[in-house]
Amino acid sequence: MQDNAPPNIHSTYLRLRPDSTVEKLPVDGSFWPRLMAGELGDLHHEYLVTCYTYAEDWPSWECHPNGDEIVVMLSGRATFILESPAGTTELSLERTGDFAFVPRGTWHTARTGTTTTMLFITAGEGTLNRPA
């Protein structure tokens, strides 16, 4: 019997390439270590579409120096904290469909008040992290 189930964003992430093609990336326990080690490419001029569920505040800040990021609330609630030279801004995502626009080079983290699932469209090349 053939499985005709559609892909699911929780188990298959997407690489949006500069030539307007899409590559499916199966997700397992080794996905993030392989990505960080460069085994899945450098994401040069590419976007990564992922989905992640958080049960607590993010443990770190991140910054995407080579492109913008969009974070879409699917369920739960979160306060996004954006740090720029002009100061810190807080943005509350409270409803399904609310989204945060994170400009290139902006350090950001999130506080969650409940289990929260978000969809990320990230220019991942050169992503930086620091502890929260």
Side-chain angles (χ1 to χ4, degrees):
M1 184 175 226
Q2 186 177 13
D3 182 7
N4 289 327
N8 186 286
I9 195 63
H10 295 283
S11 60
T12 304
Y13 293 162
L14 303 170
R15 177 195 315 263
L16 307 182
R17 294 184 170 146
D19 66 357
S20 299
T21 61
V22 176
E23 177 186 0
K24 295 177 191 172
L25 301 171
V27 178
D28 60 18
S30 70
F31 178 82
W32 290 107
R34 287 179 26 237
L35 181 72
M36 296 304 174
E39 294 174 23
L40 299 176
D42 62 8
L43 298 175
H44 184 65
H45 295 296
E46 297 177 338
Y47 278 83
L48 189 62
V49 180
T50 62
C51 187
Y52 203 80
T53 299
Y54 299 90
E56 54 192 37
D57 295 350
W58 290 9
S60 62
W61 288 77
E62 66 178 21
C63 177
H64 309 290
N66 294 306
D68 301 332
E69 179 176 46
I70 297 171
V71 182
V72 182
M73 178 61 63
L74 299 181
S75 67
R77 290 183 314 278
T79 299
F80 251 74
I81 303 158
L82 308 174
E83 183 181 272
S84 71
T88 301
T89 302
E90 292 189 7
L91 176 64
S92 293
L93 305 180
E94 299 180 356
R95 299 171 299 159
T96 299
D98 285 354
F99 69 91
F101 171 74
V102 182
R104 171 192 320 245
T106 301
W107 283 97
H108 55 286
T109 191
R111 293 191 307 250
T112 59
T114 186
T115 300
T116 301
T117 302
M118 294 180 266
L119 178 81
F120 299 84
I121 305 168
T122 307
E125 180 185 17
T127 295
L128 304 170
N129 290 282
R130 69 179 194 213

